[in-house]
Amino acid sequence: EAGVTQFPSHSVIEKGQTVTLRCDPISGHDNLYWYRRVMGKEIKFLLHFVKESKQDESGMPNNRFLAERTGGTYSTLKVQPAELEDSGVYFCASSQGRGPYYEQYFGPGTRLTVT
Amino acid sequence: ILNVEQSPQSLHVQEGDSTNFTCSFPSSNFYALHWYRWETAKSPEALFVMTLNGDEKKKGRISATLNTKEGYSYLYIKGSQPEDSATYLCAFMFDSGAGSYQLTFGKGTKLSVIP
């Protein structure tokens, strides 16, 4: 069974540019999560999709971040325009169910550097 | 604001030594505690999902215990091997109130096993 995949693995962009990150969850997982780790800090929740619906987007930093999951399969996270403080590793995770006892399976992350 | 603390921040041990580290979390409104093993540039790998006070779980040479009343969990590694070198993350699962359960991570304990 294929795991969670993310593309690209690295992205270097200039301040003010736009970047789109992609996540492909494990097939059949309705629940998809985005997290971010800024250097030296802990991994932080951004948002949670159930199928194509945003269940919880309380962790999204501001309106420069837009997440979509059309068709309830893969998801994209767009940052527009990027700022220096957006640099970090963006993780995607998926799970079969949304309860607290379900494992969340993580992808390898996209390392974003904004210069 | 939920606080998940891990100690120590980093640890160097000799191959063959046994070691343990701590995760502290809020003792109220407990749902689950997740442990992950993370090597940089790879996907965080789920180790355990711990749900009940007094839980003890084991996977090979790695085991974990849980005390929800006092808000801590220990991770033990018996006979450390160089391949155990990684960052060990714990994450407290809480109900965001938006029909979603979020993982709140600690900063991790970085383990280096010296051959």
Side-chain angles (χ1 to χ4, degrees):
Chain A
E1 178 186 87
V4 176
T5 57
Q6 293 187 245
F7 182 82
S9 57
H10 292 84
S11 181
V12 181
I13 60 171
E14 292 183 355
K15 177 181 168 179
Q17 289 186 322
T18 298
V19 64
T20 300
L21 315 181
R22 175 173 168 140
C23 167
D24 286 79
I26 292 172
S27 177
H29 282 192
D30 288 339
N31 293 271
L32 186 149
Y33 306 82
W34 283 97
Y35 292 87
R36 175 173 75 170
R37 183 177 186 259
V38 172
M39 189 181 292
K41 301 211 168 175
E42 62 274 15
I43 297 172
K44 287 200 168 174
F45 170 86
L46 295 178
L47 90 160
H48 170 205
F49 281 100
V50 178
K51 297 186 181 178
E52 66 276 6
S53 299
K54 290 175 188 172
Q55 184 69 40
D56 181 357
E57 51 185 331
S58 60
M60 294 287 262
N62 52 60
N63 59 11
R64 294 185 294 103
F65 289 75
L66 176 65
E68 294 181 320
R69 193 182 181 196
T70 309
T73 54
Y74 71 90
S75 174
T76 57
L77 180 65
K78 182 193 284 189
V79 185
Q80 178 183 31
E83 297 289 344
L84 298 178
E85 65 264 25
D86 300 333
S87 295
V89 181
Y90 289 78
F91 290 102
C92 173
S94 71
S95 67
Q96 275 188 314
R98 74 169 92 171
Y101 315 124
Y102 286 94
E103 276 186 25
Q104 291 187 18
Y105 296 86
F106 279 73
T110 293
R111 181 173 295 277
L112 175 65
T113 303
V114 182
T115 62
Chain B
I1 296 176
L2 293 173
N3 234 12
V4 177
E5 301 284 344
Q6 290 190 248
S7 63
Q9 196 171 3
S10 65
L11 192 56
H12 291 78
V13 301
Q14 288 291 138
E15 181 176 352
D17 286 351
S18 294
T19 187
N20 65 85
F21 14 96
T22 307
C23 172
S24 301
F25 52 84
S27 56
S28 59
N29 297 319
F30 179 85
Y31 289 96
L33 188 84
H34 295 230
W35 279 100
Y36 287 87
R37 178 181 179 279
W38 178 43
E39 291 180 66
T40 306
K42 294 188 178 180
S43 304
E45 172 199 349
L47 291 174
F48 306 113
V49 178
M50 311 198 67
T51 57
L52 297 175
N53 186 44
D55 247 357
E56 288 189 31
K57 297 210 171 179
K58 189 174 179 184
K59 186 185 277 191
R61 293 178 292 97
I62 304 177
S63 60
T65 61
L66 180 69
N67 183 323
T68 60
K69 295 188 177 181
E70 294 182 41
Y72 65 84
S73 176
Y74 293 136
L75 191 81
Y76 301 90
I77 301 179
K78 186 177 176 182
S80 304
Q81 299 297 308
E83 58 265 29
D84 295 330
S85 297
T87 297
Y88 291 82
L89 300 164
C90 72
F92 176 80
M93 183 69 90
F94 78 99
D95 182 350
S96 71
S100 177
Y101 290 90
Q102 294 180 14
L103 287 173
T104 297
F105 282 85
K107 289 186 180 180
T109 293
K110 186 170 182 178
L111 174 67
S112 300
V113 181
I114 304 159

